[in-house]
Amino acid sequence: MTSTIRVRFAPSPTGPLHMGGVRTALYNYLFASQHGGTMILRIEDTDQTRYVPGAEDYIVEALAWCGIHFDESPAKGGPHAPYRQSERRELYKQYSDRLIQSGHAYYAFDTPEELEALRKAAEANKETFIYNAETRKTLHNSLNMSAEEVEALIEAGTPYVVRFRIPEHSVVEMDDLIRGRVVVKTETLDDKVLFKSDGMPTYHLANIVDDHLMEITHVIRGEEWLPSLPLHVLLYQAFGWKAPQFAHLPLLLRPDGNGKLSKRDGDRLGFPVFPLAWTDPFTGEKSSGYREAGYYPEAFVNMLALLGWNAGTEQEIFSMDELVEAFSLERVSKSGARFDPAKTRWFNQQYLLIRNEEQLAEELRIVLNNKGIKFADDKLVPICRLMRERVHFVHEIFEEGSFFFEAPESYDEQVVKKRWKEESAAKMQQLVAVLEKASEFEPAALDALLQQFITDNGLNTGAVMNALRLLLVGASKGPHLSEIMWIIGKEESLKRIFAGIDRLSQTTQN
Ligand code: GLU
């Protein structure tokens, strides 16, 4: 049964969605899903100067990748369509007019040059110019003119904006579901522009009108919007509308805890800040994304969910369904949440460890295909089984286990120095003779055969195994040797041993 709870994610398509934005969408989604409510995507694109082509598609694709779905959206439609503010532009003017008629807003004819001069003059006195109850008395606006003068200016086509008239000597009292009661004196607020000279509403007006018309019950958004809350609450009062409940989410902080995690930080600090990779359409600048870096969306979402919220238990791994069940706004913290890139990799590893083997093998096959490597499909499951404990990402199974797919091109010098002795070549030649005769080339048989070889010849296990590993792998890493030999097969194993003896004998001679 659908409840009356209605929430919205309302991004502005001004660029790729930052992971903080994904978290906002996620918390809205969790809250709506838990209450059987409705989740709405509304595109807030009234600021034409900040519009970035491709950004809306990016947002939609990124949220779909994360498994965040909408009940009403530009693509899906719904009872309050359209869901793109640029397509609703005709609607906003009447609301701006309504506020003017009721005395809550006024026309301001000050030109950008005049305002700039006032700002400069204030700056020169180390002050900030604010359009407010004090300054508006002397500025070029309808509060200081007769109705005829105002009409004449508008009829003459004089550009104007509509500003909200902040009530004087008053306080705004607000309740935030995360922060509790917030009280602000109206003296600290400025007369924000609601409607611009280009005939478009500003964010503030369009946002409130749409939240009202779309019957939004809970506004869950980032802390950066908290300073706008008093204005929004005053707007609801001015319209005589019931305000939704508000919840302002804590900021995401940089890993060192110093300041907000910005769009710029990511690649500079060595991790993505965007869900998907993005190429700026104007500058061509590329930014990395979690998807392309090899993260599972489930791991990314799990990590984000815990960035500012916790279940109050030790549990860290949550599926989306479990998050829906466990989430609560009461357990969202007030203070900033520090992003931890190492922990993010850890989350991915946890999801890799619980992945079904066949699925993991399929993912590895895609990595190999992309590299143009052909490999027997039946060996991919055992490779994944052997390697999954050692990596954080599927692509690392290839990187850390490249020896499964390609013969070593070089041999780790340190290891050669330590492990390749005068007599190693002769011992390996002897071993070749035994291996060539082996009828069964699978792990248990190979283990027995190697052991027999070592005992028969009175050799040291370490010396034999280390030298052999060097020839097969090129370094002293990787899982159990007989597993590697079984996977690459008899022919390839012998080929690598021959080639290695050849190459390493040359180096020891030189
Ligand atoms: N369009 C605003 C943004 O880009 C929405 C803020 C809000 O949720 O009210 O974040």
Side-chain angles (χ1 to χ4, degrees):
M1 200 191 79
T2 32
S3 71
T4 47
I5 286 189
R6 293 174 58 83
V7 298
R8 82 311 192 264
F9 179 56
S12 299
T14 54
L17 191 59
H18 181 268
M19 58 198 250
V22 182
R23 188 197 56 177
T24 299
L26 175 65
Y27 284 11
N28 274 284
Y29 178 71
L30 297 176
F31 184 76
S33 306
Q34 183 176 65
H35 292 95
T38 304
M39 167 79 166
I40 296 159
L41 175 65
R42 183 174 74 225
I43 300 294
E44 301 207 324
D45 56 351
T46 54
D47 190 348
Q48 302 285 300
T49 58
R50 296 184 63 215
Y51 181 78
V52 174
E56 183 183 327
D57 288 345
Y58 176 100
I59 292 167
V60 168
E61 193 183 340
L63 296 173
W65 179 69
C66 291
I68 297 171
H69 307 295
F70 294 93
D71 303 300
E72 299 171 21
S73 72
K76 263 198 149 167
H80 299 282
Y83 291 90
R84 208 175 272 120
Q85 287 185 329
S86 58
E87 292 166 21
R88 302 166 67 80
R89 73 176 77 188
E90 303 308 327
L91 192 118
Y92 304 110
K93 189 165 184 305
Q94 57 182 293
Y95 291 97
S96 156
D97 289 348
R98 205 198 275 189
L99 290 180
I100 291 175
Q101 273 149 26
S102 63
H104 291 99
Y106 59 90
Y107 296 107
F109 300 94
D110 317 88
T111 64
E113 294 75 26
E114 284 165 357
L115 293 174
E116 187 53 31
L118 288 164
R119 260 180 229 120
K120 286 239 167 78
E123 246 168 57
N125 290 330
K126 301 220 177 328
E127 283 167 11
T128 323
F129 168 72
I130 303 172
Y131 210 119
N132 63 10
E134 203 40 50
T135 56
R136 70 182 171 223
K137 288 182 195 145
T138 57
L139 291 164
H140 199 196
N141 59 54
S142 59
L143 299 175
N144 306 321
M145 295 175 192
S146 68
E148 293 73 31
E149 276 176 291
V150 174
E151 208 170 302
L153 280 173
I154 291 176
E155 257 168 38
T158 316
Y160 65 83
V161 298
V162 175
R163 286 182 182 272
F164 189 66
R165 183 181 186 173
I166 295 282
E168 287 169 65
H169 313 300
S170 177
V171 288
V172 196
E173 297 187 20
M174 302 152 279
D175 288 302
D176 185 275
L177 291 169
I178 295 165
R179 275 142 229 280
R181 176 142 282 223
V182 185
V183 181
V184 164
K185 288 201 177 100
T186 52
E187 274 90 67
T188 60
L189 306 174
D190 62 332
D191 289 357
K192 281 269 184 309
V193 173
L194 299 179
F195 205 80
K196 293 174 289 181
S197 47
D198 64 1
M200 285 290 243
T202 58
Y203 152 73
H204 301 293
L205 180 69
N207 185 271
I208 267 56
V209 167
D210 282 346
D211 280 351
H212 172 71
L213 295 177
M214 294 181 180
E215 299 172 76
I216 300 302
T217 57
H218 294 75
V219 168
I220 304 169
R221 62 183 174 190
E223 182 179 306
E224 63 274 26
W225 298 104
L226 196 56
S228 302
L229 184 58
L231 170 66
H232 294 181
V233 168
L234 288 170
L235 275 167
Y236 280 103
Q237 288 171 3
F239 280 118
W241 295 335
K242 183 174 182 291
Q245 287 192 269
F246 292 96
H248 287 85
L249 308 175
L251 291 177
L252 296 194
L253 304 178
R254 288 173 26 186
D256 60 7
N258 275 332
K260 188 175 151 182
L261 182 67
S262 79
K263 292 194 173 188
R264 296 251 147 240
D265 284 330
D267 289 324
R268 193 172 59 79
L269 297 176
F271 53 82
V273 284
F274 300 120
L276 317 180
W278 166 260
T279 305
D280 187 293
F282 302 120
T283 64
E285 188 192 348
K286 288 187 189 325
S287 307
S288 67
Y290 281 88
R291 180 178 67 183
E292 290 74 12
Y295 281 86
Y296 291 125
E298 298 90 329
F300 177 62
V301 162
N302 194 155
M303 177 281 294
L304 272 183
L306 292 173
L307 224 47
W309 168 84
N310 68 78
T313 63
E314 294 292 299
Q315 185 178 350
E316 289 191 286
I317 301 301
F318 290 88
S319 66
M320 191 67 105
D321 286 347
E322 289 170 325
L323 286 173
V324 167
E325 181 100 347
F327 184 75
S328 72
L329 285 173
E330 291 73 39
R331 296 204 62 88
V332 173
S333 70
K334 288 193 197 48
S335 49
R338 191 190 293 210
F339 172 67
D340 182 347
K343 186 81 188 191
T344 306
R345 283 194 296 276
W346 176 86
F347 271 110
N348 206 65
Q349 184 182 38
Q350 300 311 303
Y351 278 86
L352 192 136
L353 287 172
I354 54 176
R355 208 96 177 144
N356 157 306
E357 279 178 354
E358 272 72 35
Q359 204 177 343
L360 202 55
E362 175 57 23
E363 289 162 8
L364 178 60
R365 200 178 57 70
I366 294 168
V367 171
L368 295 175
N369 281 353
N370 289 341
K371 295 187 185 294
I373 296 173
K374 297 220 182 327
F375 199 78
D377 275 357
D378 63 331
K379 292 288 167 53
L380 295 180
V381 166
I383 291 176
C384 290
R385 201 177 292 149
L386 290 169
M387 294 300 291
R388 70 193 313 174
E389 305 270 349
R390 301 161 179 256
V391 297
H392 291 84
F393 301 95
V394 174
H395 63 80
E396 285 180 353
I397 297 184
F398 171 76
E399 285 142 24
E400 293 297 311
S402 59
F403 46 85
F404 285 121
F405 314 102
E406 298 164 329
E409 279 176 14
S410 60
Y411 302 87
D412 186 316
E413 275 182 40
Q414 297 294 331
V415 184
V416 174
K417 243 197 204 142
K418 218 165 135 201
R419 310 284 193 207
W420 192 255
K421 303 276 170 332
E422 286 267 355
E423 64 284 5
S424 300
K427 277 185 213 153
M428 290 298 113
Q429 296 281 15
Q430 263 180 293
L431 177 62
V432 165
V434 176
L435 288 175
E436 274 174 335
K437 278 190 252 137
S439 53
E440 277 180 294
F441 218 80
E442 48 81 31
L446 283 166
D447 271 340
L449 184 145
L450 286 168
Q451 197 45 57
Q452 191 67 48
F453 170 74
I454 288 163
T455 325
D456 287 353
N457 296 287
L459 299 172
N460 172 291
T461 308
V464 171
M465 296 310 235
N466 289 329
L468 183 56
R469 182 177 292 276
L470 182 62
L471 300 184
L472 295 171
V473 172
S476 67
K477 62 171 189 183
H480 199 58
L481 258 192
S482 54
E483 304 266 11
I484 299 179
M485 291 167 78
W486 165 61
I487 286 170
I488 66 177
K490 185 171 179 175
E491 195 184 329
E492 176 67 14
S493 299
L494 288 167
K495 218 160 110 190
R496 289 189 193 183
I497 298 173
F498 285 130
I501 295 176
D502 243 29
R503 287 268 296 277
L504 293 175
S505 313
Q506 281 168 26
T507 44
T508 36
Q509 274 159 27
N510 291 340

